[in-house]
Amino acid sequence: MAALANARDVTLAVRNWIEAACSQTAYIEPGSPWENGYCESFNGRMKDELLNGEIFHSLREAQIIIEEWRKH
């Protein structure tokens, strides 16, 4: 729950900062990869290159393997 509360705090802080800067965020329709190609490309690559070939037995093991993949 602490991590979830922290995520809410970060979200609120970012929203307040954007509002104070008199700016707006761009809305990206869920399921619209053509609007956010970088994230969609990363997610697809991570799934194909890493997640489809691994079975994680603990959260810590997943963190270590994913970090090694990220640095590779």
Side-chain angles (χ1 to χ4, degrees):
M1 276 310 232
L4 187 56
N6 189 36
R8 286 188 199 128
D9 293 342
V10 170
T11 300
L12 183 60
V14 169
R15 286 183 179 173
N16 290 339
W17 177 77
I18 290 169
E19 186 177 313
C22 298
S23 189
Q24 296 179 347
T25 60
Y27 178 75
I28 297 174
E29 188 72 36
S32 297
W34 53 88
E35 292 186 59
N36 198 356
Y38 177 79
C39 286
E40 292 297 322
S41 173
F42 172 80
N43 291 343
R45 224 178 84 237
M46 183 177 193
K47 181 177 163 253
D48 291 343
E49 295 177 11
L50 175 69
L51 300 178
N52 285 345
E54 294 288 342
I55 296 175
F56 304 112
H57 298 285
S58 69
L59 176 59
R60 186 66 187 139
E61 179 186 14
Q63 291 170 329
I64 292 168
I65 292 172
I66 291 169
E67 183 62 16
E68 288 174 0
W69 177 83
R70 188 186 69 80
K71 288 180 179 178
H72 182 299

